[in-house]
Amino acid sequence: MSNYDSSAIQEFNGGVWVFCEQRQGAMMSTSYELISEGRRLANELGTKLYGLLLGSGIEGLAKELGGYGADGVYVCDHPLLANYTTDGYTKVICDVIRAYKPEVMLIGATNIGRDLGPRCAARLHTGLCADCTHLDIDMGIYKDFLHSASTLPADKIDALNTAMVMGEKHDVSRDLKMTRPAFGGHLMASIICPRFRPAMATVRPGVMKKAAFDQAKADACEIIKPEFSLTQDDLETEVVEVVKAAKKLVDLIGADVVVSVGRGISKDVEGGIKLAEELAEVLGGVVGSSRAVVDSGWISADHQVGQTGKTVHPKIYIALGISGAIQHKAGMQDSECIIAVNKNDTAPIFEIADYGICGDLFKVTPLLIEAIKAAKAAK
Amino acid sequence: MKIIVCVKQVPDTSGKVAVNPDGTLNRASMATITNPDDLNAVEAALQLKEETGAQVIVVSMGPPPAEGMLREILARSADKAVLVSGREFGGSDTYATSQILAAAINKIGLEDDDVVFCGRQAIDGDTAQVGPQIAEKLGLPQVSYAADIHKEGDTLTIKRMLEDGYMTIKVHTPCLITCIKELNTPRYMSVGGVFEAYSKPYEVLDYNALKDDPLIDPSTIGLKGSPTNILTSFTPPQKGAGMMLEGADRATCEKLAGIMAAKHMI
């Protein structure tokens, strides 16, 4: 006799779902990333993948999701869903989930996803894992990931097939393994939701890779219009206006080259940022920063790389005057090539840098810009 | 009018963090602090108190030593502190934590003109889930990521930050708001405040104090009431250190540019 009833979760056989966030009729790129990742999870579970799309006049966005792997899209189109509201979106999503019973629900960990996810999980009485950076079903793939991305002993990883749940051994082979950083990136944890469905995760934007678009699959994507009810009385919050930032935001996540500045620029903030901009321009990249630079008000928050900023994995990451606190490393350590310039030869950034130069960024960077220009000219 | 502020004592993860051989955090070796976003929530409450004369009650779930943190917040001129503490509450994930904190807020008594403030997220778990989940359990409207708050009558107008801009949202009391650091600059304790902190009301709510609330059930609190379980935790491997180039002069930079060219990075 089991210590808990698992029969209720058997009913949740409605596939893997991805909440596809759009803002003002434009799909968020993280929706495509999650559809691509969701495709893999659905294949490993032997089930279907569906997008869940809410908004007003947004049906035209649905088919494209098929091109990244969705078998179908549940479209909830209603004037009251034009702008995101916690209460309106939560009501519709929970009603549709209760009717169609997905096994897994993925949501992009945007400021909206992280408002919506917990509210839905609390209403549905299920588990939610925040800001995941890795997702698995298949145990072989999960263990390969642990072998490469953890310091756990190999025999311990190989023996990892069950978890203690309510005092008994639970086979985790069909559970969604949701891996995320905690304690500012010092620790990673894999979380499961063994007793409730859907297993829900918010997923950090920029981490999952977008699949190649396939027009034939987009054409074949099924559009489903579930029934739901929503009235003005359901909304206790009123969106008065939605304001887009006037300045074009830096596209850190999509950049091939990121040149980031840290506290090392403090003696000449403007000069330091200007040098980073010049170096980024020579390399065709963008400027990022550590948290300290944002917290000091020297650069806007959209530049921040790290645990509380953005996660990037560019081809080249250049850290100028960044000591390399673990919070920062958590957002850039998977870059293909890391180059660090720092005055302090014991700075932790050098522990993960492919190439390090111990020196003053204000002296080194101009020389590096010149040398790269010369090397490019010589090609 | 009451303003209830939820706060959490967290290990200070900004410095060196010690990890035990089994992959868990060595909390004993770390200093504890009040979660930074929660101090913005406290400050928002205190500013609203100055405007409206409301009573500010600060609530925390945690072990008895969290009293020190709560007394510090009383010293910043909060009026009353409530510590929610009990063995039965241990091992709670965000779902179970929100059940317990919602029951504690019910116990304090939520009235129509009250507001609940939380920090956006705590630096130990970084989930940002407990605030919205408390709101759901209390049936309150929520506004998260608040960077500006204005109250007029029973209506709050809030600037809610997005990655690419912001929304202006109107919400009525009672409601729950999660605060970000852009909202304000937390004040320090005052000398007079420190003096008064130990004479202000301080209450401990344990399992027995909350057990009559329908939210409190063995199946919804603590480890057994948590929908999520930790399968494993681990430390990521250090990426192998690369090459330190000699010097920091023109020749060094030319060497690096040469490597980048050879590797087709430029």
Side-chain angles (χ1 to χ4, degrees):
Chain A
M1 183 64 192
S2 181
N3 293 338
Y4 61 94
D5 178 16
S6 61
S7 63
I9 72 172
Q10 308 298 334
E11 296 171 19
F12 284 80
N13 56 8
V16 172
W17 283 22
V18 172
F19 171 68
C20 296
E21 184 186 340
Q22 55 81 25
R23 293 185 187 173
Q24 283 72 52
M27 192 64 80
M28 298 289 282
S29 59
T30 193
S31 303
Y32 300 126
E33 297 164 13
L34 294 197
I35 287 285
S36 307
E37 178 70 4
R39 181 70 264 168
R40 178 174 76 86
L41 301 175
N43 290 348
E44 290 174 16
L45 282 167
T47 187
K48 289 196 168 183
L49 173 71
Y50 294 97
L52 174 59
L53 177 61
L54 276 67
S56 179
I58 39 73
E59 194 183 328
L61 299 174
K63 284 266 183 191
E64 194 179 357
L65 295 163
Y68 295 96
D71 294 304
V73 179
Y74 290 90
V75 178
C76 302
D77 201 308
H78 195 288
L80 290 174
L81 296 173
N83 284 318
Y84 171 76
T85 58
T86 310
D87 20 28
Y89 273 54
T90 301
K91 178 172 193 299
V92 172
I93 288 173
C94 289
D95 287 354
V96 176
I97 284 178
R98 284 183 181 123
Y100 292 89
K101 300 194 182 329
E103 189 169 351
V104 167
M105 175 81 188
L106 308 181
I107 298 174
T110 63
N111 286 15
I112 282 177
R114 296 185 74 174
D115 181 87
L116 175 68
R119 190 91 196 199
C120 290
R123 187 167 303 179
L124 295 166
H125 193 165
T126 190
L128 169 66
C129 185
D131 209 20
C132 298
T133 54
H134 205 270
L135 298 171
D136 290 283
I137 298 287
D138 184 276
M139 287 305 284
I141 296 173
Y142 175 61
K143 288 180 182 180
D144 286 347
F145 160 67
L146 289 182
H147 282 300
S148 69
S150 84
T151 51
L152 291 172
D155 57 336
K156 201 177 163 192
I157 295 172
D158 291 333
L160 189 68
N161 297 309
T162 58
M164 287 305 284
V165 175
M166 305 294 275
E168 62 189 64
K169 271 191 180 175
H170 167 87
D171 176 359
V172 298
S173 59
R174 226 189 131 78
D175 284 297
L176 179 65
K177 274 73 70 180
M178 304 174 270
T179 304
R180 67 181 303 268
F183 297 102
H186 292 277
L187 272 184
M188 301 290 290
S190 293
I191 309 290
I192 52 172
C193 175
R195 298 183 293 130
F196 299 93
R197 293 288 180 271
M200 291 180 62
T202 58
V203 183
R204 183 173 295 187
V207 172
M208 303 302 172
K209 297 272 188 301
K210 191 163 93 171
F213 180 78
D214 182 336
Q215 185 62 48
K217 285 186 189 165
D219 293 340
C221 182
E222 182 189 3
I223 304 295
I224 307 146
K225 294 181 181 173
E227 274 186 37
F228 63 90
S229 79
L230 185 68
T231 68
Q232 190 67 53
D233 290 344
D234 294 319
L235 305 185
E236 293 193 85
T237 50
E238 179 198 346
V239 178
V240 181
E241 59 173 345
V242 181
V243 180
K244 294 273 172 196
K247 185 173 74 76
K248 194 177 179 312
L249 297 178
V250 58
D251 181 17
L252 277 178
I253 287 174
D256 280 341
V257 178
V258 176
V259 180
S260 283
V261 290
R263 220 189 289 269
I265 63 166
S266 61
K267 74 173 182 191
D268 175 8
V269 171
E270 274 180 41
I273 292 174
K274 190 155 177 292
L275 283 173
E277 284 169 352
E278 283 175 28
L279 180 54
E281 195 186 321
V282 172
L283 294 168
V286 299
V287 174
S289 81
S290 69
R291 180 174 173 167
V293 173
V294 171
D295 284 354
S296 304
W298 297 338
I299 205 165
S300 58
D302 53 311
H303 293 271
Q304 188 181 325
V305 172
Q307 170 70 4
T308 49
K310 294 198 177 73
T311 299
V312 296
H313 30 73
K315 294 195 172 74
I316 307 171
Y317 189 90
I318 303 183
L320 301 176
I322 293 178
S323 65
I326 192 127
Q327 287 90 341
H328 188 74
K329 287 190 203 165
M332 47 65 77
Q333 59 195 357
D334 292 333
S335 303
E336 283 176 37
C337 178
I338 297 169
I339 296 168
V341 179
N342 200 296
K343 274 202 291 199
N344 177 1
D345 66 355
T346 61
I349 192 76
F350 288 130
E351 292 165 12
I352 60 161
D354 296 278
Y355 303 101
I357 296 177
C358 179
D360 180 355
L361 75 94
F362 289 98
K363 296 199 179 104
V364 172
T365 312
L367 294 171
L368 188 56
I369 292 168
E370 254 183 66
I372 289 172
K373 278 185 181 167
K376 283 173 84 168
K379 273 205 158 184
Chain B
M1 179 188 175
K2 293 192 299 302
I3 307 165
I4 297 171
V5 192
C6 301
V7 299
K8 185 179 188 185
Q9 193 172 46
V10 293
D12 185 357
T13 56
S14 63
K16 283 264 180 212
V17 168
V19 177
N20 294 320
D22 65 351
T24 58
L25 200 73
N26 183 353
R27 285 175 185 261
S29 72
M30 298 171 68
T32 57
I33 55 171
T34 308
N35 181 53
D37 284 352
D38 300 354
L39 289 177
N40 296 106
V42 168
E43 180 61 30
L46 295 175
Q47 289 181 11
L48 201 51
K49 172 186 170 171
E50 284 159 4
E51 269 175 46
T52 63
Q55 184 193 20
V56 174
I57 303 176
V58 53
V59 182
S60 185
M61 182 169 115
E67 176 174 353
M69 168 193 69
L70 288 170
R71 295 283 181 196
E72 283 182 17
I73 295 169
L74 291 174
R76 290 172 199 243
S77 79
D79 299 296
K80 179 183 173 179
V82 176
L83 178 66
V84 185
S85 194
R87 206 166 20 88
E88 297 85 350
F89 305 148
S92 294
D93 70 357
T94 69
Y95 182 97
T97 300
S98 69
Q99 294 272 136
I100 298 161
L101 283 170
I105 291 168
N106 280 336
K107 184 81 180 175
I108 292 163
L110 196 65
E111 293 166 298
D112 280 351
D113 56 351
D114 292 350
V115 179
V116 182
F117 283 122
C118 297
R120 170 193 56 162
Q121 68 194 54
I123 58 169
D124 51 356
D126 279 324
T127 74
Q129 288 178 185
V130 170
Q133 296 197 313
I134 292 172
E136 172 65 19
K137 295 301 167 187
L138 293 171
L140 297 179
Q142 80 196 37
V143 181
S144 55
Y145 294 83
D148 194 32
I149 301 170
H150 283 283
K151 185 168 183 293
E152 217 178 311
D154 67 350
T155 302
L156 286 89
T157 305
I158 295 164
K159 181 180 183 184
R160 183 227 194 271
M161 295 312 291
L162 297 170
E163 294 87 341
D164 54 354
Y166 65 90
M167 278 177 172
T168 306
I169 296 179
K170 278 195 167 151
V171 63
H172 55 80
T173 64
C175 58
L176 182 144
I177 293 159
T178 80
C179 304
I180 58 176
K181 65 175 187 288
E182 288 78 5
L183 178 59
N184 54 42
T185 305
R187 70 191 65 188
Y188 292 102
M189 294 176 274
S190 67
V191 176
V194 174
F195 189 70
E196 287 171 5
Y198 277 85
S199 57
K200 285 183 174 171
Y202 181 85
E203 190 180 357
V204 177
L205 296 177
D206 62 6
Y207 175 76
N208 280 324
L210 298 180
K211 71 177 191 313
D212 293 335
D213 191 300
L215 290 167
I216 301 298
D217 182 279
S219 69
T220 56
I221 62 162
L223 189 61
K224 287 187 172 176
S226 296
T228 59
N229 295 66
I230 297 171
L231 175 61
T232 183
S233 65
F234 56 88
T235 47
Q238 280 283 346
K239 185 179 165 183
M243 182 200 293
M244 283 302 284
L245 299 171
E246 249 176 66
D249 53 13
R250 185 174 298 276
T252 314
C253 292
E254 283 170 355
K255 184 175 180 195
L256 178 56
I259 294 170
M260 291 170 81
K263 297 201 167 202
H264 306 292
M265 288 192 271
I266 53 176

